[in-house]
């Protein structure tokens, strides 16, 4: 992050030379990250437009989770620029907080707050970060809990819910902040098979309603149904990106073909 | 004018909100606050000491002490220096701590194993022991032994005697003292050599056993023979004599022999029993932490119960036992400072007590006292960390 | 192949019953039998004389030592001085204030420990913030109550006060130290680690000496330090180090995902700490905190050495009264029993709590 220290705070995205151009919601250029000596993200260039649904897939260790965690600064990057909705991600705490308000995240391990009720989990951030009143926040929370089909669980604790229900709460919790984009980090990988469908259904509904989504997942069926673009990553690089039809039926790279062969076989 | 002020504040605020510079700012602030506090405290202290006419510095350590100490492991009388009293105190603390650690470990292990005994009465008795002595303050236990029990002992003239050798009375516990004579040195040397030889032989035998399955079965007897026999032979041929100084009643007191003053006795009794109760729990937790399946598997392999204990359970239990056990040892060393309450001349009593009272140099005295305990604690912690790392690596 | 189900029957006489239990648990082997015999013999030798001395031959009431017979225990020593043991030198006409203090304590503890009671968070908040202030007002005075100087406080009241105040005051410091020790900032981490290791490495007696003797030197001459306050400061600084280690254990047990979750929602470090991490961590360390409290409760007896009159010191002082000489055993047994009752009771509660928390998870 050292090279970003002196750059002024940008109000406009980098490529706003023409008013007619579609401005990217997320603009990643030349992103490089190292864990010590290990080069985990290599020269990533990625633009995500508003309303786009992107699925990122690849073998484990390819850096896909690391990439999306860089977007909301859960991981720090050493080189390159990330601009989210006009705000550049630097080490300025105000920028980071602005970006985190606009970016929602759904985790593989749920990470609900076990000592708060479902409703409290959803209203916590709106009250303390967006400074909404308790009544307002609860109204919004109940709406989203209905959208994910579990309004009756509002006063229970996370420990009392099944895995599928918990993950749906996580989706609702991130939606309560009214984000511009939601990141999904392998949302169904920790679920028992019979609960994967209920979560995927909610994600599909969300996609249909026009939310910008960036999903790291192994669920290829979901990718085919919903994605505008599928991205394949391997060894820290973006190997290939294409609309799903093209990606699954006519993969261009050898590595993509190999991966698809392994994943789609069962 | 106001513009530039605003800019400065804005720049500062930007630095504060910057993820790289904020930690630096915060740490600088903390260092500043701490420094200011230290300076304030030091200046106050210097002022106050000056007003009270108390000198500073460590010169007092070479001044004459002028008070007696009832027990000392090195030669000491009133004409010795304060520095000498420091040494006497440290040695006494180490003496009490070492003896306490040895006794408490033995008692603690016995009670801990008894707690897990198959005999219901024995297990309950151990449990009562643990729950009683763990929940009563150590100071109270020391007082009980010193003021209630040992104060009820008879006068020296009516001592409880065990033959001609041991005497127990109000003034202490008297034992015979073996004195070093000429020719005893080679005997002691031979004892050391015999022990080393025995250990080497035991190790070699074990190696041989592991490799070939055959070993000397009468090993224990052979070892005993070596450790006892060799020194005895050396004794016989060197013509050494062991003389023993027996305690003798002269007037109202006993002279000669080794004496254990009641202060030390009470302190040791209380420390041993109190710490043993905690050690027993540590031992119990350690043994219980070994999964039951280990014992079952070992038994299924045909190992006898004794071997199951020594080869399978105890080695695994020790890993769990040793860290909290050393913690208890540290507690014992720190608790030995309660000696001050009954007048046993340990470090706190002699140095942070009498010497501080006489010289008034509180800062130096208390700092030195704390430094001793800190050194002991930190060294043991360091050794413990090394041990933990070694054990963890081996498991990988 | 059998269609008929076998109805349950009673086991053979030899495998259940008291006789069988005894055989298995008391006389299973030769060493076991020997142990049983020895213990039973030991009990036979010790219990009847003790009961005789402590109960049957004992004198329960009296105004001085002559009232007691020489054979039995002289509990009169305890009953005659009971007021002093409980209240120290607190003036009798104001003792009702101490009683209110005790009642408040019992009420709060009862409310917090009984499962069924509601509003525990409020009661906890009151206990941690208002109760010390209310207790101080009750015992010291001011605002309508006559002032009772601290050198008159003593006995069980002082022991409880020292332990509770020490505990409550050391909590916030301990939490801050624990957070500091886990910090990424090297200066703060070093300072906190140094503080913790230093106070954990020295005996409480040296801390009390330091507080008693050195604290007046550290502040300008005009500031006068009450002796009780000095002792309390020493105790709080000492206890904070131990609390820090207990809290640190709890913080380590919180999964990293909790931190990531509140970060990703846009909550700041302190918001997340106060609302998410610390509530979970503190719940985990309740057994550890209670154990530390038990240790502190026992350690308060050390204030005897700097001239404060806690329960043990008051009993000790009572033993030096010429009217009551030679009853050290009774005095220490009484004090020992009071301490034991508190510590054993609290530790049993802690064990029960640990089980409950374990199941709840």
């Amino acid at each position: 992050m050292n090279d970003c220290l002196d750059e002024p705070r940008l109000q406009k995205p980098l490529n706003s030379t023409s008013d007619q151009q579609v401005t990217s919601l997320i603009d990643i250029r030349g992103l490089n990250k190292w864990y010590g000596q290990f080069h985990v993200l290599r020269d990533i260039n990625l633009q995500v437009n508003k309303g786009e649904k992107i699925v990122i897939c690849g073998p484990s260790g390819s850096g896909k989770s690391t990439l999306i965690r860089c977007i909301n600064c859960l991981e720090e990057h050493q080189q390159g620029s990330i601009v989210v909705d006009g705000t550049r991600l630097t080490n300025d705490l105000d920028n980071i907080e602005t970006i985190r308000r606009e970016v929602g995240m759904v985790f593989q391990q749920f990470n609900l707050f076990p000592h708060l009720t479902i409703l409290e989990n959803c209203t916590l951030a709106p009250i303390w970060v967006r400074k909404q009143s308790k009544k307002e926040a609860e109204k919004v929370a109940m709406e989203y809990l209905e959208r994910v089909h579990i309004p009756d669980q509002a006063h229970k604790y996370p420990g009392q819910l099944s895995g599928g229900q918990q993950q749906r709460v996580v989706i609702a919790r991130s939606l309560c902040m009214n984000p511009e984009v939601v990141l999904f980090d392998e949302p169904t990988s920790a679920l028992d098979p019979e609960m994967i469908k209920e979560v995927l259904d909610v994600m599909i509904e969300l996609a249909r309603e026009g939310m910008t989504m960036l999903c790291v997942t192994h669920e290829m069926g979901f990718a085919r149904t919903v994605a505008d673009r599928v991205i394949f990553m391997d060894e820290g690089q973006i190997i290939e990106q294409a609309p799903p039809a093209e990606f699954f039926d006519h993969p261009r790279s050898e590595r993509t073909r190999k991966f698809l062969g392994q994943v789609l076989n069962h | 004018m106001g513009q530039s002020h605003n800019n400065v504040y804005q720049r500062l605020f930007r630095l504060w909100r910057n993820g790289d510079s904020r930690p630096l700012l915060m740490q600088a602030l903390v260092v500043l606050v701490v420094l200011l506090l230290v300076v304030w405290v030091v200046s106050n202290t210097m002022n106050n000491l000056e007003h009270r006419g108390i000198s500073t510095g460590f010169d007092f350590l070479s001044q004459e002490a002028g008070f007696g100490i009832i027990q000392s492991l090195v030669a000491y009388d009133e004409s010795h220096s304060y520095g000498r009293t420091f040494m006497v105190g440290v040695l006494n603390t180490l003496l009490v701590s070492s003896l306490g650690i040895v006794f408490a470990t033995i008692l603690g292990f016995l009670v801990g194993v008894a707690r897990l005994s198959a005999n219901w009465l024995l297990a309950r008795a151990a449990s009562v022991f643990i729950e009683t002595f763990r929940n009563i303050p150590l100071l109270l236990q020391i007082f009980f032994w010193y003021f209630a029990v040992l104060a009820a002992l008879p006068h020296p003239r009516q001592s409880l005697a065990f033959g001609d050798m041991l005497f127990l009375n109000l003034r202490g516990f008297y034992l015979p003292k073996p004195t070093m004579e000429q020719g005893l040195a080679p005997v002691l040397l031979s004892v050391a050599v015999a022990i080393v030889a025995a250990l080497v032989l035991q190790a070699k035998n074990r190696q041989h056993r592991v490799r070939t399955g055959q070993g000397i079965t009468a090993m224990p007897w052979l070892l005993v023979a070596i450790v006892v026999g060799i020194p005895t032979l050396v004794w016989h041929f060197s013509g050494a004599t062991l003389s023993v100084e027996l305690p003798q009643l002269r007037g109202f007191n006993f002279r000669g022999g080794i004496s254990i003053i009641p202060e030390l006795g009470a302190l040791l009794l209380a420390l041993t029993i109190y710490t043993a109760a905690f050690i027993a729990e540590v031992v119990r937790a350690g043994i219980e932490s070994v999964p039951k399946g280990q014992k079952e598997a070992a038994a299924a392999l045909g190992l006898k119960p004794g071997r199951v204990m020594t080869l399978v359970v105890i080695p695994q239990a020790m890993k769990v036992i040793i860290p909290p056990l050393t913690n208890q040892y540290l507690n014992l060393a720190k608790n030995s400072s309660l000696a001050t309450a009954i007048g046993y001349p340990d470090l706190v009593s002699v140095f942070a007590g009498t010497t501080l009272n006489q010289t008034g140099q509180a800062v130096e005295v208390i700092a030195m006292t704390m430094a001793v305990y800190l050194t002991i604690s930190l060294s043991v912690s360091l050794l413990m960390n090394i041990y933990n790392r070694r054990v963890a690596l081996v498991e990988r | 192949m059998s269609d008929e189900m076998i109805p349950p029957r009673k086991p053979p006489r030899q495998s259940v019953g008291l006789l069988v239990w005894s055989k298995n648990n008391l006389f299973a082997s030769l060493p076991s039998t020997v142990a049983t015999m020895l213990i039973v013999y030991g009990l036979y030798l010790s219990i009847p004389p003790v009961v005789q001395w402590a109960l049957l031959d004992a004198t329960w009431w009296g105004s001085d030592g002559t009232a007691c017979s020489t054979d039995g225990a002289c509990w009169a020593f305890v009953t005659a001085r009971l007021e002093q043991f409980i209240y120290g030198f607190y003036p009798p006409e104001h003792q009702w204030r101490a009683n209110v203090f005790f009642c408040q304590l019992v009420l709060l503890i009862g409310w917090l420990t009984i499962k069924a009671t509601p509003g525990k968070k409020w009661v906890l908040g009151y206990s941690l913030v208002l109760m010390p202030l209310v207790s101080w007002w009750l015992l010291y005075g001011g605002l309508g109550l006559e002032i009772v100087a601290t050198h008159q406080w003593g006995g069980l009241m002082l022991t409880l006060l020292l332990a509770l105040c020490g505990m409550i005051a050391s909590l916030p410091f301990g939490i801050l130290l624990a957070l500091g020790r886990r910090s990424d900032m090297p200066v703060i981490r070093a300072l906190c680690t140094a503080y913790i290791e230093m106070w954990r490495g020295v005996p409480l007696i040296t801390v009390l000496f330091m507080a008693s003797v050195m604290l007046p030197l550290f502040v300008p001459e005009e500031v006068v330090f009450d002796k009780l306050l000095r002792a309390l400061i020493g105790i709080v600084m000492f206890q904070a180090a131990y609390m820090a280690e207990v809290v640190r254990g709890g913080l380590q047990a919180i999964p990293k995902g909790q931190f990531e979750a509140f970060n990703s929602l846009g909550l700041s470090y302190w918001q997340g700490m106060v609302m998410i991490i610390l509530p979970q961590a503190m719940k985990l360390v309740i057994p550890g905190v209670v154990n530390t409290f038990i240790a502190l409760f026992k350690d308060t007896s050390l204030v005897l050495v700097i001239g404060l009159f806690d329960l043990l010191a008051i009993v000790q002082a009572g033993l030096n009264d010429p009217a009551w000489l030679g009853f050290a055993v009774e005095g220490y047994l009484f004090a020992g029993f009071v301490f034991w009752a508190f510590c054993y009771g609290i530790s049993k509660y802690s064990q029960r709590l640990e089980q409950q928390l374990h199941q709840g998870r």
Side-chain angles (χ1 to χ4, degrees):
Chain A
M1 287 243 213
N2 341 48
D3 63 311
C4 301
L5 184 61
D6 307 312
E7 306 235 11
R9 188 174 170 191
L10 290 176
Q11 291 295 347
K12 293 222 176 293
L14 289 170
N15 51 345
S16 66
T17 44
S18 153
D19 293 318
Q20 303 295 338
Q21 215 167 2
V22 175
T23 49
S24 313
L25 192 54
I26 302 180
D27 192 345
I28 303 176
R29 291 174 195 247
L31 180 66
N32 279 286
K33 180 181 166 59
W34 285 264
Y35 275 137
Q37 297 289 356
F38 179 49
H39 197 174
V40 61
L41 287 177
R42 310 181 193 187
D43 296 327
I44 304 279
N45 288 299
L46 177 63
Q47 280 77 42
V48 180
N49 298 314
K50 195 168 164 68
E52 261 197 295
K53 299 167 235 300
I54 314 254
V55 166
I56 306 180
C57 62
S60 62
S62 54
K64 20 185 228 303
S65 284
T66 313
L67 173 59
I68 64 169
R69 285 155 64 92
C70 282
I71 296 177
N72 69 349
C73 205
L74 285 180
E75 304 270 359
E76 283 184 12
H77 61 272
Q78 283 84 23
Q79 256 180 41
S81 84
I82 302 179
V83 180
V84 177
D85 199 19
T87 311
R88 161 170 266 139
L89 183 61
T90 62
N91 49 20
D92 185 292
L93 296 177
D94 285 335
N95 280 6
I96 295 179
E97 281 178 12
T98 308
I99 290 180
R100 283 181 175 166
R101 277 199 290 270
E102 301 303 330
V103 175
M105 184 139 193
V106 177
F107 297 88
Q108 182 180 357
Q109 300 294 340
F110 320 149
N111 292 336
L112 284 174
F113 305 132
H115 61 299
L116 302 174
T117 62
I118 302 299
L119 191 60
E120 286 168 345
N121 261 280
C122 294
T123 57
L124 184 73
I127 294 177
W128 292 96
V129 180
R130 287 212 185 271
K131 313 273 191 262
Q132 289 174 1
S133 75
K134 188 153 173 245
K135 262 178 77 171
E136 237 183 285
E138 283 186 357
K139 190 159 96 67
V140 171
M142 285 310 293
E143 274 172 27
Y144 282 116
L145 284 176
E146 281 208 40
R147 284 254 296 262
V148 300
H149 311 299
I150 39 172
D152 44 317
Q153 310 285 353
H155 297 287
K156 294 219 181 123
Y157 285 92
Q160 297 169 288
L161 269 55
S162 74
Q165 290 171 320
Q166 287 188 50
Q167 195 61 299
R168 284 187 275 154
V169 172
V170 175
I171 298 177
R173 177 176 74 174
S174 64
L175 290 176
C176 285
M177 285 290 284
N178 244 315
E180 291 290 335
V181 57
V182 179
L183 306 173
F184 291 82
D185 188 0
E186 303 207 31
T188 55
S189 298
L191 291 173
D192 290 335
E194 63 267 19
M195 293 191 258
I196 295 182
K197 180 176 183 307
E198 69 194 57
V199 173
L200 285 179
D201 284 342
V202 165
M203 289 167 69
I204 293 173
E205 272 179 46
L206 193 62
R208 296 248 160 83
E209 284 160 12
M211 173 63 74
T212 317
M213 292 162 64
L214 204 56
C215 305
V216 172
T217 182
H218 297 298
E219 297 291 327
M220 295 304 153
F222 172 77
R224 259 197 220 267
T225 320
V226 148
D228 294 315
R229 244 192 298 164
V230 181
I231 297 179
F232 174 66
M233 276 182 75
D234 193 8
E235 293 191 359
Q237 282 174 286
I238 294 183
I239 306 291
E240 192 170 333
Q241 45 179 313
E246 209 184 301
F247 183 85
F248 288 114
D249 298 330
H250 308 291
R252 276 187 298 224
S253 154
E254 178 56 45
R255 284 199 267 183
T256 319
R257 273 195 284 268
K258 187 161 158 234
F259 174 72
L260 286 175
Q262 290 166 337
V263 165
L264 293 176
N265 241 343
H266 52 95
Chain B
M1 198 51 199
Q3 242 335 14
S4 60
H5 270 188
N6 262 343
N7 272 340
V8 171
Y9 287 139
Q10 266 185 359
R11 277 211 73 117
L12 256 174
F13 189 65
R14 280 289 112 226
L15 276 179
W16 182 251
R17 294 298 287 166
N18 182 301
D20 278 343
S21 56
R22 181 166 170 155
L24 293 173
L25 271 181
M26 201 175 265
Q27 290 177 88
L29 206 69
V30 167
V31 169
L32 191 69
V33 168
V34 169
L35 273 176
L36 282 175
L37 196 69
V38 169
V39 163
W40 184 69
V41 163
V42 168
S43 82
N44 280 333
T45 312
M46 300 302 277
N47 273 339
N48 286 328
L49 286 177
E50 209 179 295
H51 282 180
R52 297 181 197 198
I54 303 175
S55 42
T56 52
F58 290 95
D59 299 329
F60 75 97
L61 285 175
S62 48
Q63 288 171 9
E64 188 180 298
F67 63 92
I69 299 181
I70 53 177
Q71 186 201 331
S72 170
L73 289 177
V74 293
Y76 176 84
D77 61 57
E78 293 83 18
S79 66
H80 279 107
S81 65
Y82 286 120
R84 188 87 168 179
T85 67
F86 178 73
M87 191 159 73
V88 172
V90 170
L91 284 174
N92 282 342
T93 293
L94 289 176
L95 174 71
V96 170
S97 305
S98 335
L99 285 177
I101 286 176
V102 169
F103 294 148
T105 309
I106 298 174
L107 182 59
F109 267 82
L110 284 175
V111 175
V113 171
R115 179 78 178 75
L116 294 170
S117 161
N119 183 312
W120 184 88
L121 266 180
L122 192 57
R124 284 284 88 67
S127 178
V128 166
F129 176 91
I130 294 172
E131 290 304 330
T132 307
F133 292 107
R134 252 190 348 163
N135 289 311
I136 299 180
L138 177 57
L139 190 58
L140 199 156
Q141 295 188 36
I142 294 178
F143 280 178
F144 181 78
W145 288 110
Y146 188 64
F147 290 116
V149 174
L150 294 190
L153 286 174
H155 278 282
R157 291 212 162 166
Q158 291 95 34
S159 300
L160 299 166
F162 302 89
D164 233 356
M165 316 248 289
L166 306 172
F167 298 94
L168 182 61
N169 60 50
L170 201 57
R171 296 283 161 80
F173 184 45
Y174 294 88
L175 307 130
K177 178 160 134 185
T179 43
M180 282 286 282
E181 304 260 322
Q182 286 287 42
L184 209 53
V187 177
L188 289 178
L189 195 64
S190 68
V191 168
V193 168
I195 291 182
V196 169
L199 287 173
V200 167
L201 196 61
Q202 160 82 311
K204 284 265 172 256
N205 183 45
R206 207 196 188 134
Q207 271 180 9
H208 189 79
R209 189 108 175 268
V210 166
R211 250 203 321 251
T212 65
Q214 289 171 354
I216 310 174
T217 33
M219 204 52 188
W221 298 112
L222 185 57
L223 291 176
V224 170
I226 293 179
V227 173
V228 172
I230 294 187
T232 317
L233 284 174
V234 173
W235 176 309
H236 194 71
F237 285 110
S238 73
T241 46
L242 179 72
S243 75
V244 176
E245 196 182 295
L246 290 178
Q248 303 240 338
L249 182 59
R250 305 257 167 87
F252 287 111
N253 272 322
F254 276 87
R255 302 250 183 262
I258 300 179
S259 68
I260 299 182
I261 50 177
E263 287 81 6
L264 181 57
L267 194 58
L268 265 181
L269 272 167
L271 272 174
T272 301
I273 294 180
Y274 182 75
T275 314
F278 287 91
I279 292 184
E281 277 296 278
V282 167
V283 168
R284 181 177 75 95
I287 295 183
E288 280 186 340
S289 78
V290 179
K292 205 161 84 124
Q294 295 287 310
K295 278 205 281 203
E296 294 177 348
L301 285 168
L303 288 169
K304 290 213 187 85
R307 286 254 173 251
V308 169
M309 258 292 158
T310 50
L311 288 177
V312 176
V313 178
I314 302 264
Q316 294 188 63
M318 285 315 275
K319 283 202 200 107
V320 178
I321 287 178
I322 293 205
L325 186 64
T326 46
N327 213 17
Q328 290 305 323
Y329 289 166
L330 275 177
N331 284 342
L332 192 149
K334 286 188 284 178
N335 284 335
S336 69
S337 58
L338 265 61
T340 211
I342 55 171
Y344 178 74
D346 82 314
L347 177 61
V348 173
S349 172
V350 159
F351 200 60
T354 320
T355 300
L356 193 156
N357 278 334
Q358 289 190 199
T359 62
Q361 300 200 226
V363 179
E364 290 87 348
V365 167
I366 294 189
M368 283 173 74
T369 311
M370 284 182 152
V372 169
Y373 285 104
L374 258 180
T375 313
I376 300 177
S377 295
L378 290 177
S379 347
V380 174
S381 291
L382 203 72
L383 288 172
M384 184 46 31
N385 276 337
I386 298 178
Y387 170 80
N388 271 335
R389 230 172 290 152
R390 260 193 82 220
V391 166
L393 276 176
V394 168
E395 272 185 353
R396 290 254 151 260
Chain C
M1 160 74 206
S2 142
D3 250 343
E4 281 185 30
M5 296 299 293
I6 307 176
R9 297 196 298 270
K10 285 216 161 72
R13 297 274 319 272
Q14 294 99 304
S15 65
V16 289
L18 185 61
L19 236 58
V20 175
W21 180 89
S22 301
K23 180 165 162 292
N24 285 335
N25 288 308
L26 297 175
F27 305 107
S29 63
L30 184 59
S32 184
T33 313
V34 170
T36 306
M37 307 260 86
L38 281 175
I39 293 180
V40 171
Y41 183 57
L43 289 175
Y44 166 71
L45 278 184
S46 55
I47 297 216
V50 167
V51 171
Q52 183 88 13
W53 174 85
L55 296 172
L56 299 175
D57 286 340
T59 325
W60 295 90
W61 307 100
S63 54
D64 61 42
T66 52
C68 290
S69 71
T70 43
D71 300 327
C74 187
W75 298 121
F77 171 63
V78 173
T79 52
R81 305 182 77 97
L82 196 59
E83 197 176 288
Q84 205 181 62
F85 290 165
I86 298 182
Y87 302 102
F89 307 111
Y90 214 79
E93 65 271 20
H94 293 297
Q95 272 170 13
W96 63 271
R97 286 151 62 172
N99 288 334
V100 174
F101 166 69
F102 285 132
C103 284
Q104 183 191 220
L105 253 176
V106 170
L107 203 70
L108 286 173
I109 292 178
W111 199 288
L112 286 173
T113 53
I114 298 176
K115 270 185 104 171
T117 50
K120 287 215 170 50
K121 282 200 191 124
W122 293 109
V123 177
L124 192 64
Y126 175 84
S127 309
L128 292 178
V129 178
L130 283 178
M131 184 197 70
L133 297 170
V134 170
S135 308
W136 177 263
W137 169 66
L138 275 172
L139 293 172
Y140 186 73
L143 288 183
L145 288 177
E146 199 177 305
I147 298 206
V148 177
T150 58
H151 64 80
Q152 291 178 295
W153 301 6
L156 183 59
M157 180 187 96
L158 186 63
T159 299
L160 278 171
L161 191 74
L162 282 170
L164 283 170
C165 280
M167 203 59 191
I168 293 175
S170 66
L171 256 174
F173 288 120
I175 293 178
L176 287 174
L177 281 169
L179 288 174
R181 188 166 183 170
R182 281 167 51 92
S183 165
D184 291 324
M185 297 186 259
V187 166
I188 295 188
R189 190 170 61 237
L191 281 173
C192 290
T193 308
Y195 180 98
I196 294 174
E197 289 307 319
M198 191 187 117
W199 294 104
R200 272 165 49 98
V202 295
L204 180 56
I205 270 203
T206 54
V207 175
L208 288 174
F209 273 2
M210 193 181 117
S212 178
V213 172
M214 279 164 79
L215 217 50
L217 292 176
F218 288 164
V219 292
E221 241 178 307
E222 307 82 58
V223 178
V224 169
F225 258 120
D226 182 272
K227 201 198 262 187
L228 178 61
L229 192 60
R230 273 181 262 163
L232 257 179
I233 291 180
I235 289 179
V236 168
M237 292 181 79
F238 181 77
Q239 194 68 355
Y242 286 86
M243 282 300 295
E245 285 298 278
V246 172
V247 172
R248 188 167 77 102
L251 286 172
Q252 273 173 341
I254 306 290
K256 195 154 161 260
Q258 292 290 304
F259 293 87
E260 294 187 344
F262 80 73
N263 272 327
S264 70
L265 284 171
L267 289 162
S268 73
Y269 174 81
W270 285 107
Q271 280 175 327
M273 270 299 157
V274 169
M275 290 194 285
I276 307 293
I277 305 297
L278 281 176
Q280 294 183 58
M282 292 316 287
K283 204 155 159 206
L284 283 174
V285 302
I286 289 180
V289 168
V290 174
N291 283 339
T292 318
F293 178 75
I294 296 178
L296 179 60
F297 191 75
K298 288 185 289 179
D299 280 344
T300 55
S301 52
L302 265 63
V303 296
L304 174 154
V305 178
I306 55 170
L308 285 171
F309 285 97
D310 79 308
L311 176 61
L312 180 59
I314 277 247
V315 169
Q316 182 80 338
L319 290 174
N320 291 329
D321 186 337
W324 300 95
L325 279 180
F327 300 118
V329 177
E330 286 87 338
Y332 292 136
L333 280 179
F334 168 71
F337 176 71
V338 174
F339 276 109
W340 181 87
F342 271 94
C343 294
Y344 184 70
I346 299 175
S347 75
K348 275 285 157 238
Y349 168 69
S350 161
Q351 280 170 20
R352 192 163 62 91
L353 198 60
E354 221 170 333
Q355 272 176 3
Q356 275 176 10
L357 288 174
H358 236 281
Q359 286 166 0
R361 268 243 133 255

